[in-house]
Structure formats: structure tokens, C-alpha cells
Amino acid sequence: MAEASVDLHAHSTASDGTLAPAEVVRLAKRIGLCGLALTDHDTIDGIDEAASAAEALGIDFLPGIEISCQYPAPGTMHLLGYGIDPRSDVLRELTRRLIEARDQRNPKIIEKLNALNVSVTMDEVEAEAAGGVVGRPHIAAVLVRKGHVSSTKQAFDKYLGQGAPAFVDKERLTKEQALRRIDEAGGITVLAHPVQLRTQNDAQLERVVKDLADLGLAGIEVLHSDHDDIHAARYARLAERYGLIKTGGSDFHGHNKAGIELGYCRGRRIPREYFDGILERLARKRDRATA
Ligand code: AMP
Ligand code: ZN
Ligand code: FE
Ligand code: FE
């Protein structure tokens, strides 16, 4: 019998994944996971559906969210909030604001694309997102479908990525704001895919992690589809040095991100103890709150 395994980073149609929240849970069950966290960008709209499906199928479930923070290019800093209370007012206000920032950005991207003679409309993009939070992968999907590019990757390289001609940044929270909001919403915060910080060396990476740890960071995503074994070992060492838990997730997006399978990070399964580590931190936080 294989070791019990989980996935702590997955997206659904509530943001830019292609499977509905309940479908992500069903897939998790089918591949034998015992725990799952749904971590859509800027929204908790998929949480209720996923939680019900998980309960029905007997999979442990953690509500989550992924938030992009201010961080110098070419890096990006994404924070994962786990155990947030979907009913919290803080969270409602936060997601409202994050989605407003996207609503400001998306038409500007479309304008830039049109100026580059790439015909695409906001209606087409919204249809692609089908009511979920609109992200660049939806724009990329429309560009692929209309034959402007041959793949999502090409859409980002040629038009949508940082530094490309149709790139538009969105208003982002500072890391302090994101950590505080997640804390106030009852959750704990984990640094997502640290490789995407694109730090130049170990010292710089360590400063970022120490800084976040001082602000109350609970964990680091050690296993991720973008991490090789050397990255994973480096992040695990940092976790130990700063008393942070280790977590891991595939960053599954359905067919919006080719080559990523739910439950796997480059062929590695994610151990159950990573899920339990989060539960333990959440329990500790609740104990402190009631003490
Ligand atoms: P957004 O939230 O609209 O800024 O879009 C972020 C999403 O785009 C994330 O799911 C990323 O995985 C995806 N993404 C960002 N850069 C790239 C890229 N170069 N190639 C493919 N997907 C990307
Ligand atoms: Zn995404
Ligand atoms: Fe991310
Ligand atoms: Fe993600």
C-alpha cells in the first residue's frame, strides 16, 4: 500500500483551473489522495462545493486561497492561506478588492492586445472564465483557440507575461497586508513556490524567508511542480531553520497548465504529514485565540 498522500495546491473553475471544484475533489479521490486543499486565486467561491464533495467522498479537505503580493520583477511572490473561514467578513472584503483589481486590469490587457492587432474581446474572455475569477490563462486560452498563438506558453511569452507587450500589472497587496488578512480570516500563511521569487542566491532567498517568518509566516511550499530536488532540499532546510512547516502541492490547473497532474510534483507524491502540519498550526492558532 502506497504512503498516504495529499495535494495542498490546486485550482478550479472558480479561478483559472478547468475542473469544477467538485471535479477536482473527485479526481483526488480517484487517484487515491486522502487530503486536498483548494487554493484558487483571489477567491473562495469554490470552497463550499469542494468541501461538500470531500465530505461525501471521505477525503480530508482544507479551504485555501492564493494571493499575489507586491514583489520586484522578474520575481513573483504568491502566498497561500489555509484554514481560512469562508464566512469571514475580512475575507469577503479582501476577495472583493482583489477581484476589483483584476477588473481594472483585464480591459487594459485586451486594449493592448487589440493595439497589437490581436483580435480578442472582453466578452470572449469572460465566456472562457465562465463566471470564475478572470485570469491571464483565460485570455491565453482564447488566444490559442482563435489561432493567434499555438500554446498557453506562447501566449505568455509573446503577449501576456511580465515584460511582454500586452503585460499589465494589477494592484497587489503588500506581504504584510496579505499575512494580516489571512490571519484575521482565521488562516495560516504559506509561501508558495519560492522558486518563483527568482532570488539571485541563497542569502537573498534567506532574507525573504526570514522577513516573512518575522511577519508570522507558518510554512514553505517545499514540493511544487516547478521545484527540482535541489530546490526542495534547499526550501526544506530553510523551513527547519526558521521553524516553519513544510507543505507541497502540484498547482494543478486542469488543462490550463499542461503537464501538471493533481497529486504529483514532478512524479513525487506529497506526504500526508504536510496536511497534518497545517492542521497542527491551525489548532495552535485557535488555542492561542481562546487562551
Ligand atoms: P493572473 O492571476 O491573471 O496574473 O495569472 C496568473 C496565472 O497565470 C497563474 O496560474 C500562472 O500559473 C499563469 N502563468 C503565469 N505566467 C505564466 C507563463 N509564463 N506561462 C504559463 N502560465 C503562466
Ligand atoms: Zn492559476
Ligand atoms: Fe502561484
Ligand atoms: Fe497556484
Side-chain angles (χ1 to χ4, degrees), residues 7 9-11 18-19 27 193 196 224-227 249-267 270:
D7 198 327
H9 190 158
H11 298 267
T18 56
L19 295 190
L27 177 58
H193 43 61
Q196 290 182 20
H224 182 271
S225 298
D226 289 348
H227 297 169
S250 61
D251 213 348
F252 177 74
H253 281 72
H255 56 75
N256 266 346
K257 253 194 184 177
I260 294 178
E261 268 185 80
L262 189 70
Y264 292 91
C265 302
R266 299 198 179 186
I270 302 135

Side-chain angles (χ1 to χ4, degrees), residues 9 11 15-17 39-41 66 102 137 251-253 257:
H9 190 158
H11 298 267
S15 65
D16 55 1
T39 55
D40 277 307
H41 302 278
E66 182 172 21
R102 285 179 179 275
D251 213 348
F252 177 74
H253 281 72
K257 253 194 184 177

